[in-house]
Amino acid sequence: MVVDDAVVVRSLVARWVADAPDLEFVAASRNGREAINMIEQVSPDVVVLDIDMPELDGISTLPLLLEKKRDLVVIMASTLTRHNAEISLKALSLGAADYIPKPETEGGIITSASFQSELIEKIRALGRQRARRLAAGVNRLNVPSPGVNVAHGALQGSNWPASSGAAHAGGMLRPFSTVTPRVLLIGASTGGPQALMAILPQLRELSTCAPVLITQHMPPTFTIILADQLARATERPVHEAVNGEPILTGAVYLAPGGRHMRVARRGGAAVIMLDDGPPINFCKPAVDPLFASAAEVWGAWNLALVMTGMGSDGTRGASDIVAAGGNVIAQDEATSVVWGMPGSVFEAGLCAAVLPLDKIAPATVRLFQGGRP
């Protein structure tokens, strides 16, 4: 179902969805009021919800839709303004599953193949994840869970994944490295802002021992807002990374939207390197460049967290981290909005642990304190 006051958008989305053999278009409405009135009758799995509409805008409509259908997947759609970026990120905290930036003009929407493909892929991936959740008896996104088939052992009174060939969901976990990590890397996509807001406030103890570098798939402007929100939530210096700046213990660096973030050595010091190269894994910024370059600079000192997200970005970089002696932890499927990126890393045999969202920060702190499974 699409909710948008622009007839061009409604008709285009309807055609795009109808042309996809595995999707069905069920309804369109001009504003939030109409959508609320028809939601129970048409019962969509996924709603594409515009932010700027007359009568009832998207941010006001969102909680009313979720009240009527708790398991509904809502994708917010907005143009790339700071105001709309702030509203889109607020919508994620209110229960939206994801957002998509729209071209600023109707002509741009008509001619943008990238917007069409991204929208259809988001509908498909989030809709499939919803179906899996319902089949498993989970009726809401990001519900903390005890994990799925993770072998656990005792470590000073806390639950910890076993490290030598432990099984998880039909696969195997790698042994943890014996090297205490000194750098934390995080890669995330769909659902990432919510996950980052959940774990970063719990990582304050790392402010005295490690820098944190984050690549979140996000367009320009959005990353500025996200950095501000994370800084307020963590009470730590979180900012968009600047090309050439030194990497300091305690700081949190967020890859700016539209630029890849790497690390390099300059005069013996680790520094941020940004580039405007082509998308990698259809993403810009991409996780692979950060992970791969960090493996070259810091070797076994890296701990990489692969969080919720579509696709497989981060897998090649995670392989480099493991080859250099570092560790990789993936978010589990039950608490991921989409288990694409973490699932890909796990299936490649690169994970030392697969953990639910609420267990990742405690496990991370324990590793940086020298804990061993």
Side-chain angles (χ1 to χ4, degrees), residues 152-160 359 362 366 372:
H152 285 82
L155 175 65
Q156 296 188 2
S158 62
N159 288 332
W160 194 264
K359 302 294 185 185
R366 182 64 186 146
R372 292 288 175 266

Side-chain angles (χ1 to χ4, degrees), residues 125-162:
L126 290 166
R128 287 175 176 171
Q129 188 81 349
R130 174 186 179 274
R132 286 192 290 268
R133 289 180 182 280
L134 292 178
V138 179
N139 63 2
R140 210 50 203 110
L141 298 175
N142 277 342
V143 177
S145 79
V148 183
N149 295 335
V150 181
H152 285 82
L155 175 65
Q156 296 188 2
S158 62
N159 288 332
W160 194 264

Side-chain angles (χ1 to χ4, degrees), residues 257-278:
R259 302 187 73 184
H260 298 305
M261 180 170 71
R262 294 177 167 87
V263 297
R265 288 244 177 236
R266 294 291 182 269
V271 299
I272 295 289
M273 300 297 291
L274 302 179
D275 74 68
D276 196 30

Side-chain angles (χ1 to χ4, degrees), residues 59 62-63 66 89-96 140:
I59 198 66
L62 173 63
L66 293 175
L89 292 180
K90 180 181 179 182
L92 296 181
S93 70
L94 295 176
R140 210 50 203 110

Side-chain angles (χ1 to χ4, degrees), residues 176-340:
F176 272 98
S177 166
T178 59
V179 177
T180 299
R182 300 187 187 181
V183 179
L184 180 62
L185 312 169
I186 304 177
S189 184
T190 307
Q194 305 96 302
L196 292 170
M197 290 295 291
I199 68 167
L200 281 185
Q202 301 179 54
L203 297 175
R204 291 192 182 96
E205 293 177 62
L206 269 59
S207 63
T208 61
C209 63
V212 180
L213 294 92
I214 304 168
T215 293
Q216 162 69 48
H217 294 166
M218 213 172 226
T221 305
F222 278 67
T223 45
I224 298 173
I225 307 301
L226 179 60
D228 290 344
Q229 291 183 350
L230 292 173
R232 290 194 296 270
T234 61
E235 299 178 348
R236 291 181 63 184
V238 183
H239 66 279
E240 275 195 330
V242 177
N243 190 50
E245 71 174 315
I247 298 171
L248 305 176
T249 295
V252 182
Y253 304 85
L254 181 66
R259 302 187 73 184
H260 298 305
M261 180 170 71
R262 294 177 167 87
V263 297
R265 288 244 177 236
R266 294 291 182 269
V271 299
I272 295 289
M273 300 297 291
L274 302 179
D275 74 68
D276 196 30
I280 298 172
N281 303 315
F282 308 101
C283 305
K284 188 178 177 182
V287 178
D288 275 337
L290 172 62
F291 283 9
S293 60
E296 291 182 6
V297 170
W298 291 303
W301 288 352
N302 291 295
L303 172 62
L305 307 180
V306 182
M307 312 294 287
T308 173
M310 291 168 49
S312 61
D313 187 28
T315 300
R316 286 198 297 269
S319 178
D320 292 333
I321 287 172
V322 168
N327 290 316
V328 177
I329 294 176
Q331 185 176 350
D332 75 351
E333 184 172 10
T335 61
S336 295
V337 175
V338 178
W339 208 54

